[in-house]
Amino acid sequence: MKRLMNAILLSCRNATELVEKRRHCPLENTERVKLKMHLSMCSNCSNYSKQIAVIDRLLNKTSTTPIDTSLLEDKIITRIKKAE
């Protein structure tokens, strides 16, 4: 019975690895079932999975237009020179 449970249940480490893997490619059926079971029982991993999904959504909404940081760089250099 213990061997069966170990084959079915994931550790939190393995669950987070599958959450990350799921972001980049589809999971196999067995992986998907194991992850779903783990997330239904583990609130920490479930929260992590939700947070990653939010982060991904927010990153996808951001513009891909490069930001001009030259003014910020000038301010930083000016402050460094004043501190010397």
Side-chain angles (χ1 to χ4, degrees):
M1 182 69 166
K2 187 175 183 179
R3 202 177 314 167
L4 177 64
M5 291 303 287
N6 287 338
I8 294 173
L9 297 179
L10 292 173
S11 67
C12 289
R13 181 184 187 113
N14 290 340
T16 55
E17 288 174 359
L18 287 179
V19 167
E20 293 298 324
K21 180 180 177 183
R22 179 176 65 181
R23 295 171 62 206
H24 304 289
C25 64
L27 296 179
E28 297 175 9
N29 289 335
T30 55
E31 292 173 325
R32 201 169 48 250
V33 169
K34 287 180 179 182
L35 179 60
K36 188 170 184 168
M37 283 182 61
H38 184 90
L39 294 178
S40 71
M41 296 183 297
C42 181
S43 61
N44 291 329
C45 290
S46 179
N47 288 336
Y48 175 76
S49 178
K50 291 173 187 173
Q51 290 168 351
I52 289 297
V54 169
I55 290 169
D56 283 343
R57 268 195 312 274
L58 292 173
L59 287 175
N60 287 333
K61 285 184 179 181
T62 60
S63 173
T64 56
T65 306
I67 299 171
D68 182 18
T69 59
S70 58
L71 292 175
L72 181 59
E73 290 171 12
D74 292 341
K75 287 181 182 180
I76 292 171
I77 291 170
T78 302
R79 286 186 181 180
I80 290 172
K81 288 180 179 178
K82 285 181 182 178
E84 293 175 342

